[in-house]
Amino acid sequence: MTVPAASSSTAPSASLANSAPLSILAYCASSILMTVTNKMVLSHFDFNMNFLLLSVQSIVAILLLWMFKKLDLISYRRMEGSEAKKWFPISLALVVMIYTGSKSLQFLSIPVYTIFKNLTIILIAYGEVLWFGSKVTPLMLLSFAIMVLSSIVAGWSDINSSESTDPTDLVLFNPGYVWMALNCLSSAGYVLYMRKRIRHFNFKDFDTVYYNNMLSLPVMVLFSLCLEGWVSGELERTFSTDVRSALTIAMVLSGVSSFLISYGSAWCVRCTSSTTYSMVGALNKLPVAASGILFLGDPATTGNVVGILLGFLAGLLYSYSKTEQSQKNFALANTASLSKSARSENDPSTTAVELAPLTNPPSKSGALPLYNPNPDGKVAD
């Protein structure tokens, strides 16, 4: 009599764990939370110790990884020295990417930052053409053109709103655009380099998160100690008594949200299809861009709104074109596989040769691996 009661009590939790709408909501909410908290720390608290913020995020992520593993919610492999040495260049590239991203977000509004971030997609797409032989379809070219147009509209609006009232001054220069350009280049380089290298590792999602945080943390702490004015009193100025509590809470929240993005991405991929996840990533840019206007008072100018909508449309077109291309590649691979099996069945000699090794029982050393690596080395965005 107690067995049905136990199964009924575990049914709701199991259904929640496999809920596609809940996983999508968690992924979108964590993206908005991280963007808003990072912008709040970097801009509203006059925070200049970016490496310290990134170090806190890594520490929080490592603690949450350990906690979730103890609760059997996730799993990841133990760190090995040989793998850590090979993975370290990827973690170093990650440090460059997230640091330039934090600097650009420090100077740019969230809508402008989100719109310009789309340009990274173009760099990655043409990098894949050069390195992996991928193709750029006409629909992708259309989405790229709309991405560039959205960036021009948003950038022009941002420049016009920053013009000096003094007639002797020209348009004020915003260093955020330089950091944004560096972030687009470093982000594309990181994604392409990791795609090329990850096929040598058999890493799952949280293996990558664990290695990246563990290996990047010492680098960011060292850079913070050397470059961010710990001796000159920058720490005391930043954490003054009037903002210390609020700033600490915001930094911890940004660390929690950075981990939740990783967890939410893996959850969303598990509960939905890759097509749905890709579409969610495109649709998510609209609420992320709007969050700066809703929560932080970023100006809702005509240029910003038009740029957000154009960027949203470009993201949808690119996501659809990538999905369509993947389906065509999958269909071609299935056709080639079926034609090869048909030729093998019509050729007795080929069939005999292929079936011969199966007469011997497999040895223990030839057992199938528990995890098969993704053949093209792609990782979730």
Side-chain angles (χ1 to χ4, degrees):
M1 297 297 293
T2 57
V3 175
S7 60
S8 62
S9 63
T10 58
S13 60
S15 62
L16 287 177
N18 295 305
S19 171
L22 191 59
S23 67
I24 292 172
L25 181 62
Y27 170 66
C28 294
S30 60
S31 299
I32 295 173
L33 178 63
M34 182 176 181
T35 305
V36 171
T37 52
N38 280 348
K39 179 63 177 177
M40 184 181 297
V41 170
L42 294 169
S43 296
H44 289 255
F45 288 102
D46 192 22
F47 193 89
N48 294 315
M49 305 180 73
N50 296 59
F51 280 120
L52 177 61
L53 173 63
L54 299 176
S55 300
V56 171
Q57 290 179 354
S58 288
I59 292 171
V60 173
I62 292 170
L63 291 175
L64 288 174
L65 280 170
W66 176 82
M67 185 185 304
F68 275 49
K69 186 177 182 180
K70 289 294 183 182
L71 295 173
D72 290 329
L73 295 174
I74 62 173
S75 63
Y76 54 88
R77 67 176 69 186
R78 295 179 60 185
M79 181 170 288
E80 297 182 4
S82 58
E83 288 183 334
K85 290 179 181 178
K86 296 176 183 178
W87 191 262
F88 182 74
I90 298 176
S91 296
L92 197 60
L94 175 67
V95 171
V96 177
M97 182 188 75
I98 59 179
Y99 179 76
T100 54
S102 69
K103 294 297 291 186
S104 58
L105 186 60
Q106 181 176 351
F107 293 103
L108 298 176
S109 66
I110 292 179
V112 174
Y113 170 83
T114 306
I115 293 167
F116 273 86
K117 190 70 176 175
N118 275 343
L119 298 179
T120 306
I121 298 174
I122 304 176
L123 298 177
I124 293 174
Y126 281 101
E128 288 180 341
V129 170
L130 295 174
W131 285 10
F132 306 107
S134 301
K135 294 181 180 180
V136 175
T137 64
L139 193 57
M140 288 183 187
L141 288 175
L142 176 61
S143 70
F144 294 162
I146 297 176
M147 287 178 193
V148 173
L149 178 61
S150 68
S151 300
I152 292 173
V153 170
W156 184 259
S157 174
D158 186 56
I159 289 174
N160 286 336
S161 65
S162 300
E163 289 181 347
S164 174
T165 56
D166 188 345
T168 60
D169 293 338
L170 297 175
V171 176
L172 293 175
F173 178 71
N174 190 338
Y177 289 105
V178 176
W179 287 112
M180 190 75 253
L182 293 174
N183 180 248
C184 289
L185 291 171
S186 60
S187 298
Y190 168 74
V191 172
L192 293 169
Y193 182 61
M194 186 167 68
R195 178 182 170 184
K196 190 174 184 179
R197 294 291 300 165
I198 200 172
R199 65 185 64 188
H200 302 292
F201 287 91
N202 287 347
F203 272 11
K204 296 181 182 179
D205 288 335
F206 289 103
D207 297 332
T208 303
V209 175
Y210 180 65
Y211 268 69
N212 275 337
N213 281 285
M214 287 295 293
L215 294 176
S216 62
L217 178 59
V219 176
M220 292 186 294
V221 170
L222 178 63
F223 283 167
S224 178
L225 292 173
C226 295
L227 303 175
E228 295 186 333
W230 284 65
V231 179
S232 60
E234 181 66 21
L235 185 66
E236 290 77 10
R237 185 201 68 80
T238 301
F239 288 90
S240 58
T241 54
D242 54 333
V243 299
R244 184 177 301 162
S245 299
L247 178 56
T248 303
I249 293 173
M251 291 176 69
V252 173
L253 275 178
S254 71
V256 172
S257 60
S258 67
F259 169 78
L260 291 179
I261 286 179
S262 301
Y263 187 79
S265 299
W267 187 12
C268 190
V269 169
R270 180 175 60 82
C271 295
T272 65
S273 65
S274 58
T275 303
T276 302
Y277 177 77
S278 179
M279 286 296 180
V280 169
L283 293 169
N284 191 42
K285 293 186 182 299
L286 182 60
V288 169
S291 63
I293 299 174
L294 295 175
F295 300 120
L296 299 179
D298 290 337
T301 62
T302 303
N304 274 347
V305 174
V306 173
I308 290 172
L309 294 177
L310 287 174
F312 175 71
L313 175 62
L316 284 179
L317 284 176
Y318 179 76
S319 177
Y320 175 78
S321 63
K322 287 291 288 184
T323 301
E324 188 179 42
Q325 187 183 52
S326 299
Q327 291 174 346
K328 288 181 180 178
N329 292 340
F330 183 74
L332 289 174
N334 279 345
T335 303
S337 177
L338 289 173
S339 61
K340 183 178 179 181
S341 355
R343 286 197 304 268
S344 299
E345 290 176 359
N346 294 330
D347 188 352
S349 61
T350 305
T351 305
V353 171
E354 290 182 349
L355 293 179
L358 296 179
T359 58
N360 297 324
S363 62
K364 291 184 179 179
S365 60
L368 293 176
L370 294 176
Y371 171 71
N372 293 321
N374 193 353
D376 65 353
K378 288 186 177 179
V379 294
D381 290 336

